[in-house]
Amino acid sequence: MKAQSIVIGLGLILLYFVDAALKIQLFTPEMLTHSGIRFFTGFVILGIGVFYEHIIKLKMAIIIVLMLALADDALDYYRHVDSFHFEVLLHGLYMMLWGAVMGYTLMKSWKVKRL
C-alpha cells in the first residue's frame, strides 16, 4: 500500500507540473475523458498485461494502445473536437506511463498480500 501511495502522490505532483508546463486545463470534460482513457489503457494493458502478468507481448500491447488512442482521436475528429496537438499527445503519454506504473505496483502489492 505504501508503494501505491507513493506512485499516486508523485503522479499527481508530476501531473500538476506537466499540466502547468503544457498549459493544459485538466478539469474540462474532454481532457478528463482523454486522461481517463489513457490512464486506464496504461493501467490494464501495459501495467498488468505486459509488465506484470506477461500475458501480452510488448509489440502487441503497443499496437493495441495505438489503436485505442487513434480510435479516441478519430471519435474526436468526428465530433469536431480539436484535440490533436503535441501538448495533448505528451499529456496522454504521461497518463499512460503513470497508469502502467500504477497497475504494476497495484498487482505487485496484491500478490504480496495474497502470499
Side-chain angles (χ1 to χ4, degrees), residues 15 18-20 22-40 72-73 76 79 81-95 98:
L15 179 65
V18 166
D19 288 345
L22 299 176
K23 296 181 178 136
I24 293 177
Q25 295 178 352
L26 181 64
F27 295 110
T28 62
E30 292 297 324
M31 281 309 296
L32 286 174
T33 303
H34 285 288
S35 298
I37 289 171
R38 277 17 177 223
F39 181 83
F40 287 112
D72 184 39
D73 289 334
D76 284 346
R79 294 184 306 146
V81 176
D82 187 25
S83 66
F84 198 68
H85 299 287
F86 184 68
E87 293 85 9
V88 177
L89 291 174
L90 285 177
H91 183 267
L93 180 65
Y94 171 74
M95 292 302 291
W98 183 27

